[in-house]
Each structure stands twice: as structure tokens, then as C-alpha cells.
């Protein structure tokens, strides 16, 4: 079976060679098969975001290799890799261009990884139909607001659209970094539901960082826990289904020797 | 001019000093070509292309060499000063006399009317092309880059290339206006760019203060209105008997005032709302006491 994502011995340092040197990733090895939906958990500063940023290309890589679809992307720029990667950030403002309309944002996502010409119109009539269909599946009434500036929408609405944009072109890999953390519980649940639905429908290979233990258990077929820049737990299939929140907290304690002192965890 | 500046200023969020160099560059190239007997339309287009080249240099310095935008503009501007002298061979070139300019191409003898007609034609064409371009696939990408760079990268847009494209179009248009200015005034001068950026920014800000929230095309039109209002203000200042030598001081002061206007507008609105709030409150109290 071929791997969609292959990470080989990845190290990441911040301020290397100074007194503040921070060895943020200390040798990550990870293979994702097609359709793997992986929850990523770990305490603050464990290196989760650093891992995702390395895969996405927003952090240059010190040592190690990253392959997506068996293509070595270690030294590819973010915009080049974007051809293979769909991404949703924690901050709902980060995934969309506020001064552009809903349809313009979607049109940009529709040409991800392709050459953009300067003669045909950016938002095409046939695309509009597709956008309306996709927006209708959100059940947020956004299909009637194609020409609204995205900046005028709520965080939840923007995040839902970002998710549509990230999956519009069937990316080889979907990266989600606490993409529901900034939303209220109800909206957060809707966006999580939508995520699950899209990932299953399109059979997307996905890495999802979350601080919500219940979500981490409920969604996905595999779970990894990071601590001090290393993968310390990797559970898949039936074993993962049996997990409880208490199990996870215990595992965390065993591995890091401390309680997971995180509001989000305790509340969930 | 103002429209060219608008592109980098609002789409890329950069007040690009290159403008003060590409303006005389367009004038210099066109004047030199016209004196050498080139067709005035070709000469004007060459001026435009010269501006694009200047924009390319600034764009390259800023995006590929990561030099801050302000320094980039100063670098290119300083370099262009020499380039302009080199192009013209001397500090200024006169077009007065028997030379063919875009104005003399028209069957209109009155030079002022001819200038207005040419200006109008060029503006219509430029606005039409810009509105068209910024709604194409690439144009959307260019707008996204200025709006949200992270998102643009995540959607596979090469932000560096898009910035360079905007830099080039922007400075091309600024050079085009320099080129027309030289033909209308009848001379090109290496120092004619000084202070132009402030004037252009003032026109933009006036337009934005007077009318907010409009589509891209309408905004370009309002900028022309802003430039005309600005001219009137300057004319009024001169008419009031202000020493022309202190004019540039006035330009700066005025821009500072215009730039701070949005803040005051907001403050005034907030005060109105607060006032309204207090009123509502007292009305409510009265209602209660009436009960
Ligand atoms: N740009 C940066 N410069 C310097 N250090 C950084 C940078 N980004 C992250 N770090 C450090 O790297 C380590 C890992 O950070 P990272 O953001 O990956 O943690 P995380 O697991 O995502 O945590 P959280 O749950 O709080 O989001 C931390 O010690 C952090 O301080
Ligand atoms: Mg993080």
C-alpha cells in the first residue's frame, strides 16, 4: 500500500545556534495511508503546529524529508505544495480574503495549483452553480450570499467556507490546525460535523490537530499524541474506538510525567 | 497618476516611492522619442513600458530580495533620477515648437480642449482595462495577495509574482501620466516627479473620505473626482494669496489632514451614537416614570 504522506526523521529547530535554541521537533516519523483521518493531540508547545507548518511548507525544513504522493516536497515552496494540500487555520480570518466576495474566494480555491490566466473572468458562470450547490450543503443559507464580502460573515461561516475551499479541489492531504477552537461550542460542533462528512465523502487523507479529547476520540480512524516534538502514542482502528477521555489523560500523564493542564481538555 | 498609485497603495498596501521616479521617466522617454521623430502614440506607449520596467525593478527588489517597500521605492527613485537624465541627455527637454504630440494628432486646435479629450480617452481605456483585468483569474489572485497573503499562499498563488505584476502595472500607469503631462505642458523635466506621490495619495484619500464602500471600478472613477477636488483646493489656496514656494508644505499638511479624517469621522459617529444612546436612555426613564 502506498503512502499519501511520508515523514522521515523530521527535526525542526527555532533559533538554532543561539542560547534560546528550541528543538521543537525531535525526529518525527509518520506514514499516512490513503483515507487516514488522524487526530493529533498533545500539550501546549508539544510541536503540533510546527509539524503541520513543516508539512505545509510554511517552515523551512532543517533535517528530514517529507513526501506527499511519493513526491519529495521537502524543498518546495508553500504555493507549490498547495497543489497537493488543503488547509484550514485556527483563526477564521486567516483562511479567506475579507475584501473579496464569497464567490471570488471560492473561485480562487477552485484554481489552486493551476495557472491563472489574465483573459477569462475569475468567477465563471458554470462555477457559480457548483459554488451554490456546495454552499447549500452547509445549511447556513450562504448559497444566497455569493456576492457578499467574506469579511462581513461570522467566524463560523468563514470557517465553514474555508473548509469548502480547502476541499474543493480534492487535495491529496488536508491539514486542520485547531480549526474549531475559535468558534462557540454550537458552531464548533457544526464545523466538526461538516469536516467529518467532507473527509468521508471525498476519502481525504487528513491530519487534524485538536485540544478537544472527545473530538479526537470521536472523529478519525487514528490518533497520535505528540510530546516534546516526538510522537509518543499512535493508536489506530479498533483500539482507538475503545479509547475514553480518561485513557487519553492517563496516557498523557505517563508520557510527559505531568497533568494535562489545559482548560479545553478539562472541560471536554 | 493617482490611479496608478492606488493600485500599489490599496491592493498591495504599499505607498510606493517609485512613483516619483516613474512619473518623470515616462515623461523623459516620451519627450526624447518625440524629439527624435517617433510617432507620438508609440512614444507614449514606450513611456508606459519604461514605467513597467521601473515597477519590475522595485517589485524584484521588494519581493525577491526582501528589501522593505519604503527603501525599495527610495532606491529605485534615486536610480531613476540618473536614468532620466541619461534618457533625456540633459535636465529638461522642450516639446514646444513643431513637434508632433498626441495632442496634435487630434483635429482640435485649442490645446486645452485637446488635452481634456486625450485625458478622457486614456482614462476610459485605462479604467476599462483595469476593471477587466482585476476580475480575471489572475486579477482576483492579485487582489487576494494584498488582502490576505497567508490565504493566497495556501491557495497556491505566487504572492511574489502577483506583487511584481501589480508593481509593473502601477508604475506603467504612473509613467503614462508623466508622458501625457510632458506632452500637455510641452516639456519634460527631471525634477517633475517631486511631490507627486503626496498629490496622488491625497486624491485617493479625498475620494475614500467623500464616498466609502464602492466597487473597484467606481472607486477608480471617484479617484479622478478626488484629484479634481484636490486641484480646486490648491487653486483656492493660491487664489487666497499663499506664496507658491510654500505650496509643497501645504500639500503635506493637507495630506496629513486627509489621512486623519477617517479617524475623526469615526469619532464623530461614535459620539453621535453615544448621544443617541443617552437620549434613548432618558426617554426610557421618562417612560418608566410615566408608568
Ligand atoms: N516561530 C517560532 N519561533 C520560535 N519558537 C517557536 C515558533 N513557533 C513555535 N515555537 C516553539 O516551538 C515549540 C512548539 O510549538 P508549537 O506551536 O508547534 O506547539 P503546539 O503543539 O502547536 O502548541 P499549542 O497547543 O499551544 O498550539 C514551542 O516551544 C514554541 O515556543
Ligand atoms: Mg498550535
Amino acid at each position: 500500500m502506498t503512502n499519501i504522506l511520508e515523514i522521515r526523521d523530521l527535526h525542526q529547530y527555532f533559533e538554532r545556534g543561539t542560547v534560546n535554541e528550541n528543538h521543537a521537533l525531535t525526529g518525527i516519523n509518520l506514514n499516512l495511508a490513503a483515507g487516514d483521518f488522524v487526530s493529533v493531540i498533545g500539550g501546549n508547545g508539544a510541536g503540533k503546529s510546527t509539524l503541520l507548518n513543516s508539512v505545509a511548507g510554511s517552515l523551512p525544513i532543517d533535517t528530514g524529508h517529507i513526501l506527499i504522493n511519493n513526491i519529495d516536497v521537502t524543498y518546495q515552496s508553500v504555493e507549490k505544495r498547495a497543489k497537493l494540500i488543503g488547509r484550514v487555520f485556527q483563526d477564521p480570518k486567516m483562511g479567506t480574503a475579507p475584501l473579496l466576495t464569497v464567490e471570488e474566494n471560492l473561485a480562487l480555491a477552485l484554481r489552486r495549483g493551476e495557472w491563472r490566466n489574465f483573459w477569462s473572468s475569475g468567477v465563471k458562470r458554470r462555477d457559480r452553480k457548483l459554488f451554490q450547490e456546495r454552499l447549500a450543503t452547509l445549511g447556513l443559507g450562504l448559497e444566497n450570499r455569493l456576492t457578499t464580502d467574506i469579511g462581513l460573515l461570522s467566524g463560523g461561516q468563514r470557517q465553514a467556507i474555508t473548509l469548502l475551499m480547502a476541499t474543493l479541489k480534492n487535495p491529496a492531504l488536508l491539514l486542520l490546525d485547531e480549526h474549531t477552537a475559535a468558534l462557540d461550542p454550537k458552531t464548533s460542533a457544526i464545523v466538526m460535523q461538516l469536516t467529518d462528512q467532507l473527509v468521508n465523502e471525498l476519502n481525504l487523507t487528513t491530519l487534524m490537530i485538536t485540544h478537544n479529547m472527545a473530538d479526537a476520540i470521536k472523529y478519525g480512524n487514528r490518533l497520535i499524541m505528540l510530546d516534546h516534538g516526538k510522537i509518543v502514542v499512535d493508536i489506530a482502528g479498533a483500539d482507538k474506538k475503545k479509547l475514553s477521555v480518561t485513557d487519553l489523560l492517563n496516557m498523557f500523564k505517563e508520557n510527559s510525567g505531568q497533568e494535562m493542564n489545559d482548560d479545553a481538555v478539562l472541560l471536554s | 497618476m493617482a490611479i496608478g498609485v492606488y493600485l500599489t497603495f490599496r491592493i498591495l498596501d504599499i505607498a510606493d516611492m517609485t512613483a516619483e521616479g516613474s512619473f518623470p521617466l515616462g515623461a523623459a522617454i516620451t519627450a526624447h522619442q518625440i524629439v527624435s521623430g517617433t510617432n507620438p502614440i508609440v512614444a507614449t506607449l514606450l513611456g508606459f513600458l519604461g514605467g513597467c520596467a521601473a515597477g519590475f525593478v522595485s517589485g524584484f527588489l521588494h519581493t525577491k530580495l526582501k528589501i522593505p517597500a519604503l527603501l525599495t521605492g527610495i532606491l529605485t527613485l534615486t536610480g531613476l533620477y540618473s536614468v532620466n537624465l541619461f534618457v533625456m541627455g540633459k535636465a529638461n527637454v522642450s516639446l514646444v515648437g513643431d513637434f508632433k504630440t498626441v495632442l496634435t494628432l487630434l483635429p482640435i486646435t485649442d490645446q486645452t480642449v485637446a488635452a481634456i479629450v486625450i485625458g478622457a480617452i486614456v482614462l476610459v481605456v485605462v479604467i476599462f482595462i483595469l476593471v477587466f483585468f482585476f476580475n480575471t483569474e489572475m486579477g482576483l489572485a492579485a487582489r487576494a495577495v494584498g488582502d490576505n497573503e497567508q490565504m493566497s499562499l495556501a491557495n497556491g498563488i505566487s504572492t511574489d509574482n502577483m506583487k511584481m505584476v501589480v508593481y509593473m502595472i502601477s508604475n506603467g500607469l504612473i509613467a503614462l501620466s508623466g508622458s501625457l503631462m510632458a506632452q500637455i505642458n510641452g516639456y519634460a523635466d527631471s525634477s517633475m516627479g517631486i511631490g507627486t506621490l503626496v498629490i496622488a495619495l491625497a486624491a485617493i484619500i479625498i475620494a475614500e473620505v467623500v464616498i466609502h464602500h464602492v466597487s473597484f471600478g467606481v472607486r477608480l472613477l471617484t479617484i479622478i473626482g478626488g484629484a479634481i477636488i484636490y486641484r480646486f483646493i490648491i487653486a483656492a489656496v493660491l487664489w487666497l494669496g499663499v506664496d507658491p514656494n510654500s505650496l509643497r508644505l501645504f500639500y503635506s499638511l493637507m495630506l496629513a489632514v486627509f489621512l486623519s479624517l477617517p479617524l475623526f469621522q469615526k469619532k464623530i459617529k461614535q459620539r453621535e451614537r453615544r448621544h443617541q444612546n443617552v437620549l434613548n436612555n432618558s426617554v426610557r426613564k421618562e417612560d418608566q416614570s410615566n408608568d
Side-chain angles (χ1 to χ4, degrees):
Chain A
M1 195 149 154
T2 61
N3 292 316
I4 298 292
L5 174 68
E6 192 174 339
I7 302 177
R8 294 186 198 146
D9 195 31
L10 177 66
H11 289 258
Q12 200 64 264
Y13 300 81
F14 290 108
E15 307 186 50
R16 193 174 194 176
T18 71
V19 283
N20 293 324
E21 179 171 302
N22 182 354
H23 197 169
L25 293 182
T26 53
I28 299 273
N29 285 288
L30 180 69
N31 292 325
L32 299 195
D36 265 354
F37 181 3
V38 184
S39 326
V40 183
I41 58 171
N44 293 116
K48 305 180 296 293
S49 298
T50 307
L51 175 63
L52 244 64
N53 288 335
S54 305
V55 173
S58 8
L59 284 174
I61 284 155
D62 288 321
T63 38
H65 284 273
I66 296 177
L67 286 80
I68 302 176
N69 275 346
N70 289 324
I71 303 165
D72 190 337
V73 297
T74 313
Y75 302 111
Q76 277 187 7
S77 65
V78 179
E79 67 262 30
K80 187 107 188 278
R81 274 185 231 195
K83 192 173 181 170
L84 303 163
I85 297 176
R87 202 172 174 198
V88 184
F89 305 91
Q90 175 172 356
D91 181 355
K93 290 197 183 77
M94 242 150 89
T96 46
L99 296 178
L100 270 55
T101 63
V102 172
E103 61 179 14
E104 286 171 340
N105 271 279
L106 285 162
L108 283 169
L110 194 61
R111 301 212 59 80
R112 181 158 48 81
E114 287 170 25
W115 152 253
R116 295 163 202 269
N117 71 35
F118 48 84
W119 51 85
S120 77
S121 99
V123 186
K124 299 178 179 59
R125 202 167 299 140
R126 61 182 137 85
D127 297 341
R128 259 190 206 120
K129 256 188 80 124
L130 171 76
F131 298 159
Q132 270 170 340
E133 280 168 23
R134 290 295 185 95
L135 287 168
T137 62
L138 301 180
L140 297 171
L142 291 170
E143 60 275 19
N144 303 318
R145 304 188 62 182
L146 282 181
T147 51
T148 306
D149 284 356
I150 287 245
L152 300 175
L153 301 181
S154 74
Q157 290 171 324
R158 285 179 78 167
Q159 206 65 328
I161 293 176
T162 309
L163 199 57
L164 274 193
M165 286 168 61
T167 54
L168 205 53
K169 292 280 288 178
N170 274 5
L173 188 64
L174 179 62
L175 301 178
L176 311 169
D177 189 349
E178 297 187 50
H179 69 304
T180 63
L183 310 175
D184 66 76
K186 192 168 152 254
T187 320
S188 162
I190 295 175
V191 173
M192 234 1 270
Q193 199 61 50
L194 175 70
T195 308
D196 194 45
Q197 182 192 326
L198 282 168
V199 168
N200 289 328
E201 244 167 50
L202 305 170
N203 195 33
L204 296 173
T205 310
T206 305
L207 272 177
M208 175 179 79
I209 300 180
T210 177
H211 271 279
N212 185 318
M213 297 295 135
D215 282 350
I217 292 169
K218 183 171 168 197
Y219 298 104
N221 64 330
R222 192 171 161 191
L223 179 147
I224 61 177
M225 182 186 287
L226 251 64
D227 186 55
H228 286 97
K230 259 202 169 58
I231 297 177
V232 290
V233 173
D234 187 343
I235 308 175
D239 290 341
K240 176 181 179 271
K241 284 213 180 72
K242 281 187 296 201
L243 282 174
S244 70
V245 172
T246 331
D247 291 339
L248 277 186
L249 293 180
N250 286 337
M251 272 182 207
F252 182 81
K253 209 165 156 187
E254 262 167 51
N255 282 295
S256 66
Q258 60 190 29
E259 297 283 342
M260 195 172 228
N261 53 350
D262 194 318
D263 292 345
V265 177
L266 298 176
L267 288 174
S268 61
Chain B
M1 167 84 187
I3 288 177
V5 173
Y6 178 74
L7 297 180
T8 38
F9 184 56
R10 278 309 179 216
I11 294 184
L12 295 187
D13 212 4
I14 292 170
D16 181 26
M17 295 277 294
T18 315
E20 301 210 343
S22 35
F23 187 75
L25 177 66
I29 293 176
T30 303
H32 173 76
Q33 289 295 327
I34 285 178
V35 171
S36 321
T38 315
N39 177 303
I41 293 178
V42 176
T44 308
L45 286 178
L46 284 175
F48 171 78
L49 290 179
C52 291
F56 177 80
V57 172
S58 277
F60 184 84
L61 291 175
H62 177 53
T63 60
K64 302 290 178 192
L65 303 184
K66 307 286 175 224
I67 298 175
L70 188 63
L71 283 178
T72 301
I74 293 173
L75 286 179
T76 315
L77 164 63
T78 309
L80 279 178
Y81 193 78
S82 294
V83 173
N84 292 341
L85 287 177
F86 182 72
V87 168
M88 294 191 290
K90 50 190 180 210
N92 57 66
V93 170
S94 172
L95 292 177
V96 181
D98 232 4
F99 298 115
K100 279 204 178 70
T101 68
V102 279
L103 302 187
T104 59
L105 287 181
L106 292 176
I108 302 171
T109 40
D110 186 335
Q111 289 293 290
T112 318
V113 177
I116 293 173
V117 170
I118 285 285
I121 294 174
V122 172
L123 279 174
V124 167
V125 172
V126 163
I127 291 180
F128 181 80
I129 292 176
L130 285 180
V131 170
F132 177 82
F133 173 72
F134 281 102
N135 280 304
T136 63
E137 293 176 358
M138 190 184 281
L140 274 189
R143 276 158 62 200
V145 168
D147 205 13
N148 184 341
E149 200 162 340
Q150 284 255 9
M151 172 269 189
S152 308
L153 286 171
N155 282 291
I157 298 168
S158 165
T159 52
D160 285 356
N161 290 351
M162 284 302 119
K163 282 183 188 172
M164 291 224 271
V165 167
V166 176
Y167 258 106
M168 285 170 67
I169 300 177
S170 168
N171 282 290
L173 291 178
I174 293 165
L176 176 64
S177 53
S179 152
L180 292 179
M181 187 61 96
Q183 297 178 64
I184 291 169
N185 287 350
Y187 68 91
D189 187 306
S190 61
S191 65
M192 68 195 280
I194 300 172
T196 47
L197 181 60
V198 168
I199 299 176
L201 289 177
I204 295 169
I205 305 291
I206 291 176
E208 290 182 342
V209 167
V210 175
I211 306 172
H212 6 211
H213 301 305
V214 290
S215 67
F216 180 70
V218 180
R219 171 56 72 217
L220 297 183
L221 283 173
T222 59
I223 289 174
I224 300 169
I228 294 172
I229 296 177
Y230 186 80
R231 282 284 159 213
F232 273 116
I233 298 177
I234 295 299
V237 167
L238 286 176
W239 181 77
L240 285 175
V242 171
D243 177 6
N245 283 336
S246 49
L247 208 52
R248 289 223 167 90
L249 184 59
F250 260 91
Y251 289 173
S252 291
L253 277 178
M254 246 172 58
L255 182 57
V257 170
F258 288 132
L259 281 171
S260 54
L261 267 185
L263 180 74
F264 289 121
Q265 279 187 331
K266 218 194 249 163
K267 282 250 165 79
I268 291 170
K269 261 202 203 114
Q270 270 172 357
R271 185 160 305 165
E272 274 170 9
R273 264 191 231 119
R274 200 176 305 160
H275 191 63
Q276 199 60 43
N277 207 0
V278 172
L279 277 182
N280 289 344
N281 216 354
S282 50
V283 169
R284 231 173 283 142
K285 268 186 198 143
E286 270 170 36
D287 283 353
Q288 282 167 356
S289 55
N290 287 346
D291 282 347

